[in-house]
Every structure is written in structure tokens, then in C-alpha cells.
Amino acid sequence: MANALGAWVVRTEVAVNTNEIITTTVAPVDTTTWNAALGLDHNANNWFISAQVFVRYIQNWDKIMLEKVNSSFFTLLASTDYMNDKLKPEMIALISYAEGSTLIRPKVSYEFSDAVLGRVGVDMFTGDNADFFGQFANNDRFYTEIEYTF
């Protein structure tokens, strides 16, 4: 569901996944997961800001499963553009608030022409080794991309 209220949009979604494969310490198992999302977007004055909350519950959870019975994430996105839509900075943060681990992803895109787009960004991970994002804490990365469209 989604509903626009002027420059604001409220979104929600619920999904039940039956026969979802979950990794365990022994062998993958089929189970049912319950997933929900709630989002709030604001688009005004050349800025787009979006906040979302995701929750997940694993039905028939067992301690041999590598995922926790409940998990939850929060995301925050902010983006805008400059120079007649040629320069586009963006920042997204994904936070596992149950664990405290994060992925912070700033990037900037520049449209050199209708066919050539350049992008530079960083992926920064925080958290403990056992956390969803924390397992990558020693693997931050810097990247560049050139996209050619024909």
C-alpha cells in the first residue's frame, strides 16, 4: 500500500514467504518467513529523502539456523542533483538496530553526456564479526564506475 500526502508518501508492505530456504549449520531447511516494511518518502526542493523500517520473523526457528529468529533494519536515503541534473550526490545508510551493525554508502554520479555516466563511491561497514554488516567491517571499499549506454 502507498498513499501520497502532498510531498510525502507513506508506504507499507507485508509478505509471507512459504518454503523459503534458510541456511543452517547442518543442511538448508524450508520454512515460512513473515516480512514487513514501512516507509516514509519526502520529495521537495530538489531533495529526495526516504526512511524505511524492515522486520523479519522466521516461523519454526531452530538454533541450528544461521539467521536470528527476528531481524530488523532501518534505512535512510538522501539524494539531490545539481548542474541541471548532471551531478547527483547520494547517501544511504542501512542499520541493523538489533545488532548495531551498519553499511554507510555515499556516492556521487556525474553525467558527462547522454551516453556516459561516471560514478564514485565508498562502502563502509561497522559492527562485530558475527553481525550482518559487521562480518565485512574489515572490507570497506572504494569504487569507480564508467557507464556507457548505446
Side-chain angles (χ1 to χ4, degrees), residues 21-127:
I21 304 295
I22 301 291
T23 305
T24 72
T25 56
V26 181
V29 295
D30 289 350
T31 192
T32 299
T33 62
W34 297 76
N35 306 274
L38 176 64
L40 180 64
D41 301 335
H42 182 65
N43 197 352
N45 300 323
N46 209 35
W47 280 90
F48 176 70
I49 298 172
S50 177
Q52 302 176 105
V53 176
F54 298 91
V55 293
R56 175 177 166 91
Y57 170 76
I58 300 174
Q59 189 171 306
N60 302 320
W61 182 85
D62 190 287
K63 63 185 175 202
I64 65 169
M65 293 179 178
L66 296 181
E67 290 186 49
K68 295 179 179 174
V69 64
N70 293 303
S71 59
S72 49
F73 290 91
F74 174 75
T75 68
L76 182 61
L77 167 72
S79 65
T80 189
D81 65 78
Y82 300 100
M83 301 169 56
N84 296 320
D85 209 28
K86 289 194 172 293
L87 181 65
K88 298 177 183 179
E90 178 180 298
M91 168 76 93
I92 187 166
L94 292 87
I95 302 141
S96 173
Y97 51 85
E99 299 173 339
S101 63
T102 62
L103 166 59
I104 301 168
R105 181 178 253 186
K107 68 180 173 183
V108 176
S109 302
Y110 184 79
E111 188 177 301
F112 293 98
S113 69
D114 288 343
V116 180
L117 178 71
R119 187 174 296 119
V120 62
V122 179
D123 292 342
M124 298 175 287
F125 299 92
T126 68

